Every structure is written in structure tokens, then in C-alpha cells.
Amino acid sequence: MGFGIFGFCLVLTLFFKHLTCQQPNTDGFFVSEFLKKTISSSYSTFSKSYYLSGSSYCSWQGVLCDAQKEHMVEFKASGLGLFGPIPDNTIGKLNKLQSLDLSSNKITGLPSDFWSLTSLKSLNLSSN
Ligand SMILES: *[C@@H]1O[C@H](CO)[C@@H](O)[C@H](O)[C@H]1NC(C)=O
């Protein structure tokens, strides 16, 4: 059952990149939106489908969630070829985020809601 839904989401996301199986207004949704909008097309298809598949974002490499698996606490996305400004309604909505590493990408700007990340203690934007 679980695998069926996972497989369904994977197929959907692989073939219809604009669709997502993440619940709206959850940390998983916000971070998927962020990656969808900033992963450059030159980056390998494998990584793209890995990050954008329906699997729980808490199990992604570089992600640490709280014990309830409701909120993202740590996000390391260094050197993934992320490109452009961070869009509104993505990273800035992860209100339990304590550590963010977007170093070694091509991030060009921060969203206005970035300043509502009141839990943030560590931010690495070097080499952008
Ligand atoms: C920030 O990221 C760069 C590149 O990944 C790394 O070399 C550096 O040590 C990081 N800085 C901190 C304070 O973690």
C-alpha cells in the first residue's frame, strides 16, 4: 500500500514535474517547491527525481527533521547547482529551521519571508 502510493507519486513527479504529492503547506511542500524552482536543468536527472519524488523529505540526504517528523530542522543543500533567487513561500516558510547550508550554488537573492525564520541559528551562503 505504502509502496504503491510512493510509486504512484514517483511516476507522477517524473513525468509531470509540476505535480507534487507533498501535502500543501507542510515543510515537505515548501522545500519541494524550492528545489523545483531552483534546481538547474544542467543538474543530473537522478538527483532531481530523487529530491522531487514523493518520498518523505525527512529521509532525504542533508535533511534533519524533528522527532515528530513534522518540521525540518536542518537542511544541507550544498553544491546542488541551485540557481536563481530563493522564491517566496519556500525556504522562508520553514519556521522551525535552525541550520541552512546553501553554499556552493548559484543562489542570487533572498525572499522577503526569509526574515521570518526566527529559529535560524546557522546560515551558510558562501560561494554563491
Ligand atoms: C560553508 O560552506 C563552505 C562550502 O561548503 C564550507 O567550506 C565552510 O566550511 C562552511 N562554513 C561554515 C561556517 O560551516
Side-chain angles (χ1 to χ4, degrees):
M1 178 69 184
F3 182 78
I5 291 171
F6 170 77
F8 179 70
C9 290
L10 189 66
V11 167
L12 274 186
T13 36
L14 287 178
F15 291 101
F16 305 100
K17 272 196 329 204
H18 56 286
L19 291 180
T20 172
C21 291
Q22 303 285 349
Q23 292 290 320
N25 299 321
T26 59
D27 282 11
F29 173 80
F30 295 129
V31 79
S32 293
E33 287 298 298
F34 168 67
L35 290 170
K36 263 194 279 188
K37 289 171 180 165
T38 57
I39 282 189
S40 78
S41 53
S42 61
Y43 202 70
S44 81
T45 318
F46 170 76
S47 297
K48 218 182 287 189
S49 58
Y50 168 71
Y51 276 104
L52 301 181
S53 74
S55 66
S56 170
Y57 67 94
C58 289
S59 61
W60 295 351
Q61 201 179 348
V63 169
L64 188 72
C65 287
D66 60 4
Q68 295 78 34
K69 302 216 179 293
E70 269 170 37
H71 292 287
M72 189 180 288
V73 174
E74 194 176 299
F75 186 36
K76 286 195 192 118
S78 181
L80 288 183
L82 305 178
F83 179 83
I86 299 176
D88 277 319
N89 296 312
T90 60
I91 297 291
K93 293 284 185 276
L94 304 173
N95 52 29
K96 296 287 191 295
L97 194 64
Q98 293 179 17
S99 172
L100 177 63
D101 181 357
L102 295 175
S103 61
S104 307
N105 286 296
K106 296 189 179 75
I107 300 288
T108 56
L110 300 177
S112 54
D113 59 11
F114 198 77
W115 312 109
S116 59
L117 290 174
T118 49
S119 306
L120 199 62
K121 293 174 188 156
S122 160
L123 174 65
N124 194 340
L125 291 173
S126 67
S127 305
N128 272 291

